[in-house]
Amino acid sequence: MRTDLLSRARGGDGEAFRALTEPHRRELQVHCYRMLGSFQDAEDAVQDTLLAAWRGLERFDGRASLRTWLYRIATNRCLDALRSARRRPAKQWDVPGFDLPEPTGLGEIHWLEPYPDALLDGAISVPLGPEARYEQSESISLAFVTALQILPPRQLAVLILRDVLGFHANEVADMLDTTVESVKSALKRARAGMQNRLPPTTAPCPPAGDSPAEDAIVAKFVTAYESADIDALVALLTDDVFMSMPPIPLEYRGRDLVARFFALVFDSAHRFELVPTRANGQPAFGVYRRPSLGTHGSGLFVLTLTGDRISALTRFENTVLPTFGLPQSLPGA
């Protein structure tokens, strides 16, 4: 860190402060997203973090790096948000004309939002500490972020700081104003909780992103969906495929139930057009409904692949489309 920039920033130079903090902004946003599960909440937390850093720059003593200091502020801002339970309420299914199948269950994490891959550039390729246990690409997946949200706030923070980012136990203890023993205890409990929530390590690995193998599955999905071919779509699913649709808490597990859901969708008078994008390191699509007058965005699907099959589908509402640079409607009749 350049001492002249720090001196100027402490003297009130906003450009110098931005030069110091901008290299860390994206990774801080991903950190806040992992903690909060919400893209919008993460953006707000980063803004709060940078404002707090600007106001408190005189208190930065240089014993730790500026990056570590910013992570300390961001983590505690996220913990404050979690403790205050600022969460959007669950939403009821409100699409007229669709009598949905009885769900397998009701999800606990209905505030989850997707994270655009376009904003991951430079954010998950940062050097990790020696304590990191997870690949950065794995630790941004929807399954991982969802599992994190089940943990108590302090355990959540410790696991991310230790196992995802690789900070030492004494660094984490300093960030959280606690003891190393407390950090170790929280980490042990957090690891046990994650183990119960994540897919088994014996499950087939997904194909690499943007690989020919992934492209082949994605192309079959697009063809089946746009042609309303329920048999072709079901053939792409694993037997225990899981479908969720935050902020609506309904969850469906198993090929038969998911097939019944899509049979209702395809039985409508509408047809669909899919616009590709990527979210959380996974294939994703803006879904556009084609009525007689225009093509309107109805939501965003994120696919989770296991081997050569789709093991999970997560449907988000059309309000997330602008985050991915996608329009609310497409031209044409």
Side-chain angles (χ1 to χ4, degrees):
M1 180 175 60
R2 290 171 52 185
T3 55
D4 61 324
L5 278 178
L6 181 59
S7 297
R8 285 163 47 199
R10 283 175 168 161
D13 187 332
E15 289 299 321
F17 178 77
R18 280 188 285 274
L20 286 172
T21 57
E22 191 61 29
H24 307 293
R25 176 187 285 269
R26 282 200 174 179
E27 62 171 304
L28 288 172
Q29 187 178 48
V30 172
H31 174 58
C32 293
Y33 172 71
R34 289 188 180 110
M35 289 200 64
L36 301 173
S38 160
F39 179 81
Q40 187 58 58
D41 289 350
E43 282 199 320
D44 293 343
V46 171
Q47 292 300 324
D48 289 347
T49 295
L50 295 177
L51 180 60
W54 169 251
R55 290 173 173 172
L57 198 57
E58 285 296 330
R59 296 192 296 273
F60 173 61
D61 56 17
R63 288 184 300 169
S65 68
L66 179 69
R67 176 177 180 265
T68 299
W69 185 65
L70 290 172
Y71 266 101
R72 175 190 177 114
I73 298 172
T75 300
N76 284 284
R77 287 296 181 278
C78 290
L79 286 173
D80 289 344
L82 290 169
R83 293 188 188 105
S84 64
R86 293 186 306 190
R87 286 284 183 258
R88 294 185 304 277
K91 182 179 178 181
Q92 299 299 311
W93 178 260
D94 59 357
V95 180
F98 287 92
D99 295 323
L100 294 180
E102 189 69 22
T104 307
L106 299 178
E108 301 172 68
I109 313 302
H110 52 262
W111 60 83
L112 188 71
E113 293 178 341
Y115 196 98
D117 274 23
L119 299 183
L120 292 176
D121 291 342
I124 62 170
S125 59
V126 295
L128 301 179
E131 307 295 326
R133 291 163 57 108
Y134 291 101
E135 295 288 339
Q136 291 289 278
S137 57
E138 175 189 5
S139 64
I140 197 63
S141 70
L142 280 179
F144 190 87
V145 174
T146 302
L148 286 172
Q149 304 309 305
I150 304 296
L151 299 175
R154 183 60 65 98
Q155 291 182 29
L156 164 64
V158 168
L159 186 129
I160 293 173
L161 292 170
R162 294 279 283 125
D163 284 358
V164 175
L165 296 168
F167 286 106
H168 288 291
N170 61 322
E171 294 177 298
V172 176
D174 184 62
M175 289 181 190
L176 301 179
D177 291 321
T178 189
T179 64
V180 170
E181 289 73 20
S182 177
V183 167
K184 290 180 178 179
S185 176
L187 182 60
K188 182 178 179 179
R189 295 194 300 273
R191 284 173 176 171
M194 290 293 284
Q195 186 174 5
N196 294 331
R197 294 282 180 171
L198 291 176
T201 56
T202 55
C205 294
D210 293 320
S211 66
E214 184 187 81
D215 291 345
I217 303 169
V218 166
K220 290 177 182 178
F221 176 80
V222 171
T223 299
Y225 205 98
E226 291 188 338
S227 61
D229 188 338
I230 187 67
D231 292 334
L233 179 62
V234 169
L236 296 172
L237 308 178
T238 61
D239 290 340
D240 62 346
V241 63
F242 177 73
M243 180 175 172
S244 58
M245 49 187 78
I248 299 167
L250 304 178
E251 295 181 342
Y252 295 92
R253 185 175 294 280
R255 183 184 283 177
D256 290 344
L257 268 180
V258 173
R260 287 173 59 192
F261 178 89
F262 281 112
L264 288 171
V265 173
F266 294 156
D267 193 43
S268 69
H270 303 293
R271 286 298 176 260
F272 299 90
E273 182 174 342
L274 302 186
V275 177
T277 184
R278 294 190 69 84
N280 298 77
Q282 301 168 222
F285 301 91
V287 181
Y288 292 84
R289 186 176 61 249
R290 294 201 302 258
S292 58
L293 298 173
T295 305
H296 303 286
S298 62
L300 183 118
F301 262 122
V302 182
L303 308 185
T304 299
L305 306 183
T306 300
D308 61 354
R309 292 289 184 270
I310 298 169
S311 59
L313 304 102
T314 309
R315 175 196 179 273
F316 297 97
E317 298 201 312
N318 61 3
T319 52
V320 308
L321 293 175
T323 302
F324 289 79
L326 297 173
Q328 291 289 0
S329 61
L330 298 177

